[in-house]
Structures are given as structure tokens and as C-alpha cells.
Amino acid sequence: MIENNTKRVLTIQDISCVGRCSITIALPIISALGSETVILPTALLSTHTIFPDFTFKDLTDQIAPITNHWKSQGIEFDAIYTGYLGTIEQIDLVKGIFNDFGKEGTIRIVDPVMGDRGQLYPGFDKDYVKKNTELCACADIIMPNLTEASLMTGLEYREEHDEQYIKEMLTALEELGARINVLTGVSLTPGKTGIMGRDSLTGEYYLYQNDKVDAVFHGTGDLFSSTCVGLLMRGKTWQEAMTLAADYTAYTIDATMKDPARKWYGVNFESTIPQLIEMSR
Ligand code: PXL
């Protein structure tokens, strides 16, 4: 029998034509997990910004006309998921979209993509960080990495960290205003990496770690977040979604290890979609 309870997810992020990240990950992954994936592209780039000399076409002026049209058609979303956003103005527009399209039960998920390994990505500055911090306050779930969390809370970035530091970071994140705060890139055991989150309503912490792979991969954060969103739409709890998403990301990293182009082109998730579907049942 064909089920007719398909969820509709809006994802707002850039299209980087080459170099699997943002929409080129969110669209296939969330769709594979069974939700309709509506895209609102914020910019069009030839590649992600780690390649040299990428092109960048700002699509900010398209956001209001597109969303006004949706509004006129009564279009609604079960989740709104944001990732890499190009400009401060776009973050303000996204705050408006959260308000305008937030029906009863709509989950707002913010991955405040702006840096990694202690550094901001090219093109971002302090004002951009401040705006992203405001956006996080409007979300139900945020999932920054340690770099992004430290930029938003003002707490020092520590590559090497212990549980007390992670709990302090989660408390500082919680003060920004989101209900569920999940930190990625948490390593509390040598050779392991994963997530630690806390639900501010219950005060409950959740830690999940996998074996750490000593290699750099582009787009793994987007793969993790997109998988979480797809799994939340399948009715998983946030802890189940984060656990399965961490397992799937680790599995896909493993499947990409032998690819010498991985640093630039991202992880080969196409080959692991069958396992994702199997894991999500
Ligand atoms: O994967 C995060 C990301 C998304 N979009 C663009 C990026 C990056 C990271 O560098 O450059 C354009």
C-alpha cells in the first residue's frame, strides 16, 4: 500500500554546483529518507568555498518573491532546516520564514554552518556570527560544531576537551535560546568522536561517539545534519536521529577512505544510500 503521510521539509542553503555539500546533500538524503524536500537556494556557487576562485551569485533578492508566492498558495512545512547561509540579510529573511511558515508542530532546525577546526569559513566575520547566534535563538534544535559553538558563546575553542568543557559549552548554547542543543565533533575518549546534546526541557544529556577517522572530509557536517532531519521526520527521537546519523556518517566516511579526491569532492554518500534506508527502518 502507498503511504500518504509524506512530510514536507524546507531546506534553506546554497547550491554549490561541485563539491557535495549543502543542497546537493540535503536534497538526496532527506528525499531518500522519505520526505518531500523543498529547496530555497540562497546562492549559486561554482564549487564550495574551499576550492580557489569559486564564483558566487547571491540569490537574496529571490527569497521574498519565492516565499510570498508559497504563502499565497497556502504551502506549509513540517520542518524548516537551514545550513550555510551567505549573508546577514539572508539570516534576517530566514527569521521571517521561521515566523511565517511555522505552523503547529513545525520543527525548526538550524545548523549554523560558518567554520571548522577553530576557523571561520572564507567571507564570514564577527557580525555574521552575531546574526547566526540570533537565528539559533529562534530554533527548536541547533547542531553547531565546536568551532561554531565557541564563536557564538564566546567560550574558548578547545581542540582537546573534557566533559566539563562540553557541558559548559552546552549550558552556554542553551542560553542562546534553542530547546535542544547538540554539539558535534565531541571527543571525550581517545580515538573517538561524536556528539553530545542536551534537551533543555528535561535537562537530559546524551553522548554518542564513534571511532575517529584521522582524515579531512568536506561536507560531513551537512551529511550528518541532513540525515538527522530526515530521521526526525520519520518519527525518531532526537537521540535516535543523532545516533543513526552519526553511524551513517561514519559508515560513509569509511566507504570514501580510499578515494584520493575526497578532500575536495566530499563523501561518496551515493554508494551508501541503501544502507541509510536499511538503518532508518
Ligand atoms: O559544508 C559546508 C559548506 C556549505 N556551503 C558552502 C561551503 C561550505 C564549507 O566550506 O563553502 C558554500
Side-chain angles (χ1 to χ4, degrees), residues 17-279:
C17 299
V18 170
R20 299 179 189 94
C21 67
S22 329
I23 284 180
T24 60
I25 291 184
L27 187 48
I29 292 292
I30 298 171
S31 296
L33 285 169
S35 290
E36 176 189 347
T37 313
V38 171
I39 58 165
L40 183 54
T42 53
L44 179 64
L45 294 85
S46 51
T47 63
H48 58 61
T49 59
I50 309 300
F51 276 87
D53 309 324
F54 57 88
T55 69
F56 183 95
K57 170 74 178 163
D58 188 350
L59 298 176
T60 307
D61 67 352
Q62 294 302 302
I63 295 178
I66 290 173
T67 51
N68 287 340
H69 180 228
W70 290 346
K71 203 78 204 154
S72 76
Q73 300 304 303
I75 293 167
E76 295 186 324
F77 303 105
D78 297 293
I80 304 174
Y81 155 46
T82 70
Y84 184 104
L85 300 167
T87 63
I88 286 178
E89 192 188 347
Q90 284 180 0
I91 300 183
D92 276 329
L93 289 166
V94 169
K95 279 162 77 179
I97 295 170
F98 276 176
N99 270 330
D100 293 349
F101 290 91
K103 64 173 171 132
E104 176 84 26
T106 301
I107 307 177
R108 288 153 301 182
I109 302 144
V110 171
D111 183 356
V113 178
M114 55 187 161
D116 206 2
R117 282 171 278 276
Q119 300 290 324
L120 275 172
Y121 288 136
F124 294 149
D125 60 15
K126 269 199 184 131
D127 292 338
Y128 186 83
V129 173
K130 192 158 167 273
K131 261 290 166 230
N132 241 339
T133 309
E134 289 173 24
L135 182 65
C136 285
C138 309
D140 298 296
I141 305 180
I142 65 169
M143 35 184 126
N145 60 29
L146 273 178
T147 303
E148 292 150 353
S150 111
L151 287 162
M152 291 195 294
T153 59
L155 295 184
E156 182 197 356
Y157 170 73
R158 288 196 207 147
E159 188 97 39
E160 308 266 311
H161 42 258
D162 58 14
E163 190 170 324
Q164 192 195 337
Y165 168 79
I166 296 298
K167 286 187 168 171
E168 277 170 19
M169 191 67 95
L170 284 171
T171 301
L173 282 176
E174 211 166 275
E175 282 164 12
L176 303 181
R179 181 188 142 190
I180 297 168
N181 293 275
V182 177
L183 267 173
T184 63
V186 171
S187 176
L188 297 184
T189 314
K192 299 266 178 193
T193 187
I195 60 103
M196 188 165 184
R198 189 159 92 141
D199 186 333
S200 62
L201 285 190
T202 61
E204 180 196 352
Y205 287 101
Y206 182 69
L207 170 71
Y208 185 73
Q209 297 179 108
N210 264 310
D211 288 343
K212 190 174 186 165
V213 177
D214 212 12
V216 177
F217 292 91
H218 200 269
T220 49
D222 298 339
L223 188 67
F224 173 79
S225 314
S226 299
T227 307
C228 283
V229 172
L231 290 168
L232 287 168
M233 290 297 98
R234 291 186 77 100
K236 304 285 183 203
T237 64
W238 68 270
Q239 296 94 330
E240 288 166 344
M242 304 284 160
T243 303
L244 286 167
D247 283 346
Y248 174 61
T249 305
Y251 183 82
T252 306
I253 286 174
D254 226 39
T256 312
M257 272 310 273
K258 290 194 189 80
D259 184 347
R262 62 177 193 239
K263 182 168 184 296
W264 300 100
Y265 295 93
V267 279
N268 300 342
F269 67 83
E270 300 81 4
S271 66
T272 58
I273 283 183
Q275 283 79 9
L276 173 65
I277 291 168
E278 196 51 45
M279 288 163 89

